[in-house]
Amino acid sequence: MDKQQIIEFCNSNPIFYLATTEGNEPRVRAMMLYKADTDAIVFHTGPFKEVYRQITENPAVQLCFYNPEQNVQIRVRGTLEMTNDRAVKDEIANHPSRAFMQGWKASCKTEEEFYNMFSVFRLSGGIANIWTFESNFKPKEDIAL
């Protein structure tokens, strides 16, 4: 797979597993992708969550996208950056896949309160590895994103 095919795979399989650390222990949970493109892999979470604290304490992470029908995993490692760009937050909040956020927005007294309810993270310049049963015993090939 090349970079564009990896991006398409991520967008087609938007539930991914995010690995962080807490101290010297790993933590993994399922997350929902907002989008992947040639600039970055983008997702969001609440600043009140443990995952937020783990990311801010150590932004080095790994994401694992999986398609069970194809038996393909794409693992992407890199360093997350937080963005507070309101245009990006508006884009996310108004996207059809994030309709649930409209209820959050309606419950807030101010726009600032709404914008503070979620944090957006970007992984730019990550390194991807592709795993399949066929490639299980072969050396990993690093693919720059």
Side-chain angles (χ1 to χ4, degrees):
M1 277 190 198
D2 63 20
K3 181 178 179 176
Q4 188 58 43
Q5 291 169 316
I6 291 169
I7 290 167
E8 290 169 11
F9 184 94
C10 293
N11 284 312
S12 296
N13 300 280
I15 303 302
F16 67 94
Y17 297 90
L18 173 66
T20 60
T21 58
E22 185 162 352
N24 63 352
E25 295 183 352
R27 299 287 188 263
V28 177
R29 84 281 295 145
M31 301 289 288
M32 186 167 65
L33 176 72
Y34 172 60
K35 71 177 180 179
D37 59 28
T38 55
D39 293 327
I41 297 172
V42 181
F43 68 95
H44 57 89
T45 191
F48 53 88
K49 292 186 170 189
E50 289 180 358
V51 66
Y52 173 88
R53 181 180 45 77
Q54 293 159 3
I55 291 168
T56 57
E57 289 176 5
N58 182 357
V61 299
Q62 187 171 55
L63 291 65
C64 180
F65 295 85
Y66 178 59
N67 181 300
E69 289 81 30
Q70 297 174 349
N71 269 324
V72 173
Q73 287 182 30
I74 295 183
R75 302 172 190 155
V76 182
R77 68 183 185 275
T79 303
L80 293 175
E81 299 172 343
M82 186 168 34
T83 179
N84 288 314
D85 185 331
R86 285 190 176 197
V88 172
K89 286 189 169 189
D90 285 337
E91 177 186 326
I92 291 169
N94 293 317
H95 193 273
S97 68
R98 300 305 193 269
F100 62 89
M101 295 180 88
Q102 294 309 309
W104 297 358
K105 192 171 188 177
S107 70
C108 292
K109 293 182 176 122
T110 65
E111 278 192 347
E112 191 67 29
E113 182 182 355
F114 174 66
Y115 289 125
N116 289 334
M117 289 183 75
F118 67 105
S119 297
V120 178
F121 290 98
R122 299 169 33 91
L123 193 153
S124 300
I127 302 296
N129 299 116
I130 300 165
W131 177 92
T132 66
F133 282 120
E134 293 77 25
S135 67
N136 192 36
F137 297 108
K138 295 178 182 174
K140 292 179 184 157
E141 178 187 349
D142 287 346
I143 302 165
L145 297 182

